[in-house]
Each structure stands twice: as structure tokens, then as C-alpha cells.
């Protein structure tokens, strides 16, 4: 019997792409890395997402309150809430109204978008955990801020994995560029590099498949039931790429 406990760790992204949920599906425990620094200028995937607008990948951004000095993701406040939500919903309606599953799922997705939260981490985590439940992903969710760690980088990840009883760390393929692999070995944690398998479908007004769009693109074009089946066929808790 396999007694491994697979842990995935990621920042709480804004309406993330399908691969983010694939990582959740492959994890027994998924930890939101919510108490790490939010970048001081510009935007990142915690407040930016791409959707299909007129056949091209276009970004929608959550406006956030900037502060002097540094701020963590779980300390970041959302600004102009009604304005940006109205813009996002309008963009979705304009560009996805003719997709096969828009009418079936629009009310649910718009309800998630309209969720009231002033805090960026709380808003994003609500979207992700709610949609994971709708997709019947039975992963346990935790947040790093709960553990109040002072460590950084790979040491922080190792401590988080230990604190939730993990034995396997499911890392994205890009993690090899910055992680200290020996720390996992020293702490009896198996390090697995995992990547999203190929999953393409028809997208409106696009000659070629647009990668990396928010999961709402797949929901409106493929439907939640087919996405459930996609995750169900990936029964392995983790795979070597």
C-alpha cells in the first residue's frame, strides 16, 4: 500500500489556468503560499489573468492598493472592486457568449467573480477552493501563513511539507532553476517534477490553441463535466515528466 503524502505548494493565483488545478488534483495536500512578498511594481499571476479576447490572449488585472515598502500577498488589498469585476464579466460575456457551455456555467462563474473580499489572497483562495469542489477534487487545502515560518526559499518549502506530514513534493518543471534539491533528500522528501499533460480544445476566433488562459476558458468551451473526467483519468497521484 502506498503511504506517500503528496504536497503541492503555490501562490494563490487569480483565476488560474487549468494546469494549476491539475497540480491540485495530483496533490493530497495543497498549500497556498500566501505570506510571501507581492512584487512592488507591475502585476503578476496573483492579480493578473489571461482570457481569450477576439482570438488572442489578453490580460485582465485586479487593481491593488500599493504601500510603501514591502507587502505580502495576504496583506494586499483590492481596489475599485465593482469596476474591475464589471469589466471582467463584460469581457467574458462579449467573448464567450457563443461557446458551448457558457449558458450552463456563466451564473456560477459570475458568482465566483462577484465574491466579496477586500483581501487579494482571500479572494483568490475562495475562487480556487470553490472551483476545486465543483470539479470534485478531494485535495486538502492549507495556507502557509497558518504556520508563521521565518525561513525562506527551499528551506521554507521543506518545513511546510514536514508540518503537513508530506513525503513527496510535487514541483513545477521550472522549480529546478532555484531549488536546493539536497535539502529534500536530507529531509527524506521525494522531489517530483510534474507538468501539465497536453489538453487542447476549440477556442472561438482562434486558428491555433491559446495556451495558459484562465480555467474559465476551458469551462466555457469544454464544460465542467468533461474537466471532471479529465482529472479522473489522471489517477496517478504524481508522475515523473
Amino acid at each position: 500500500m502506498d503511504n506517500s503524502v503528496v504536497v503541492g505548494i503555490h501562490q494563490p493565483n487569480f483565476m488560474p489556468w487549468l494546469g494549476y488545478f491539475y497540480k491540485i488534483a495530483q496533490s493530497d495536500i495543497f498549500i497556498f503560499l500566501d505570506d510571501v512578498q507581492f512584487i512592488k511594481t507591475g502585476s503578476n499571476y496573483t492579480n493578473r489573468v489571461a482570457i481569450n479576447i477576439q482570438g488572442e490572449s489578453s490580460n485582465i488585472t485586479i487593481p491593488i492598493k500599493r504601500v510603501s515598502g514591502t507587502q505580502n500577498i495576504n496583506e494586499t488589498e483590492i481596489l475599485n472592486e465593482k469596476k474591475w469585476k464589471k469589466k471582467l464579466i463584460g469581457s467574458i460575456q462579449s467573448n464567450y457568449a457563443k461557446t458551448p457551455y457558457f449558458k450552463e456555467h456563466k451564473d456560477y462563474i459570475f458568482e465566483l467573480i462577484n465574491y466579496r473580499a477586500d483581501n487579494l489572497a482571500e479572494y483568490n483562495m475562495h475562487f480556487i477552493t470553490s472551483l476545486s469542489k465543483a470539479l470534485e477534487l478531494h485535495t486538502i487545502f492549507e495556507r502557509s501563513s497558518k504556520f508563521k515560518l521565518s525561513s525562506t526559499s527551499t528551506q521554507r518549502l521543506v518545513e511546510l511539507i514536514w508540518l503537513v506530514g508530506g513525503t513527496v513534493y510535487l514541483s513545477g518543471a521550472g522549480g529546478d532553476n532555484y531549488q536546493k534539491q539536497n535539502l529534500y533528500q536530507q529531509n527524506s522528501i521525494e522531489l517530483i517534477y510534474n507538468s501539465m499533460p497536453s489538453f487542447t480544445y476549440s477556442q472561438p476566433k482562434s486558428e491555433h490553441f491559446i495556451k495558459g488562459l484562465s480555467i474559465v476558458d476551458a469551462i466555457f468551451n469544454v464544460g465542467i463535466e468533461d474537466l471532471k473526467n479529465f482529472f479522473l483519468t489522471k489517477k496517478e497521484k504524481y508522475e515523473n515528466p
Side-chain angles (χ1 to χ4, degrees):
M1 181 177 179
D2 185 5
N3 293 318
S4 63
V5 178
V6 183
V7 179
I9 303 175
H10 209 291
Q11 294 181 11
N13 286 358
F14 171 42
M15 284 178 31
W17 76 301
L18 189 62
Y20 190 106
F21 288 88
Y22 175 75
K23 187 174 184 179
I24 291 173
Q26 297 293 91
S27 302
D28 294 303
I29 301 171
F30 188 88
I31 303 175
F32 291 113
L33 200 60
D34 65 328
D35 58 347
V36 294
Q37 186 176 333
F38 184 88
I39 61 172
K40 292 183 66 175
T41 59
S43 60
N44 59 30
Y45 291 118
T46 58
N47 76 316
R48 185 187 75 234
V49 67
I51 62 173
N52 181 358
I53 296 182
Q54 296 297 313
E56 296 184 358
S57 175
S58 298
N59 290 328
I60 297 289
T61 302
I62 301 179
I64 57 100
K65 182 179 180 181
R66 303 287 178 177
V67 298
S68 58
T70 61
Q71 60 182 343
N72 290 339
I73 298 170
N74 64 346
E75 299 168 334
T76 303
E77 296 181 21
I78 298 172
L79 294 177
N80 303 320
E81 186 172 320
K82 292 182 180 179
K83 186 177 180 180
W84 73 262
K85 288 180 178 178
K86 183 178 180 180
K87 179 181 178 181
L88 174 55
I89 289 173
S91 295
I92 290 174
Q93 288 177 320
S94 298
N95 291 278
Y96 289 93
K98 295 183 179 180
T99 54
Y101 295 91
F102 179 77
K103 289 184 180 179
E104 182 177 344
H105 298 312
K106 67 180 179 67
D107 289 343
Y108 174 65
I109 296 300
F110 292 168
E111 180 182 345
L112 292 181
I113 291 173
N114 280 320
Y115 177 71
R116 174 73 186 185
D118 296 323
N119 179 274
L120 180 64
E122 291 292 337
Y123 181 84
N124 290 348
M125 289 187 292
H126 176 266
F127 181 95
I128 294 164
T129 55
S130 298
L131 193 49
S132 294
K133 184 177 181 179
L135 292 167
E136 298 181 357
L137 306 181
H138 303 296
T139 305
I140 297 170
F141 290 97
E142 296 281 4
R143 61 181 70 185
S144 59
S145 58
K146 166 185 174 181
F147 302 102
K148 302 184 186 304
L149 300 178
S150 59
S151 52
T152 60
S153 192
T154 306
Q155 182 61 38
R156 183 188 191 90
L157 300 181
V158 167
E159 290 178 16
L160 286 170
I161 295 164
W162 263 105
L163 285 166
V164 298
T167 60
V168 178
Y169 176 47
L170 187 63
S171 173
D176 193 33
N177 297 325
Y178 61 85
Q179 293 180 132
K180 296 179 180 178
Q181 298 186 25
N182 62 308
L183 285 180
Y184 296 106
Q185 296 171 355
Q186 292 170 9
N187 288 276
S188 302
I189 296 170
E190 183 179 2
L191 175 62
I192 297 293
Y193 289 102
N194 183 252
S195 59
M196 171 73 179
S198 177
F199 185 81
T200 60
Y201 47 87
S202 297
Q203 295 167 318
K205 298 184 179 181
S206 176
E207 296 181 4
H208 306 286
F209 183 72
I210 309 172
K211 297 180 180 180
L213 299 182
S214 169
I215 192 172
V216 301
D217 184 84
I219 288 172
F220 290 136
N221 284 294
V222 178
I224 287 179
E225 288 303 315
D226 276 5
L227 290 180
K228 286 181 186 178
N229 292 332
F230 166 72
F231 291 123
L232 191 61
T233 60
K234 305 298 176 182
K235 293 183 180 180
E236 298 84 3
K237 272 298 175 185
Y238 56 88
E239 304 169 349
N240 282 306

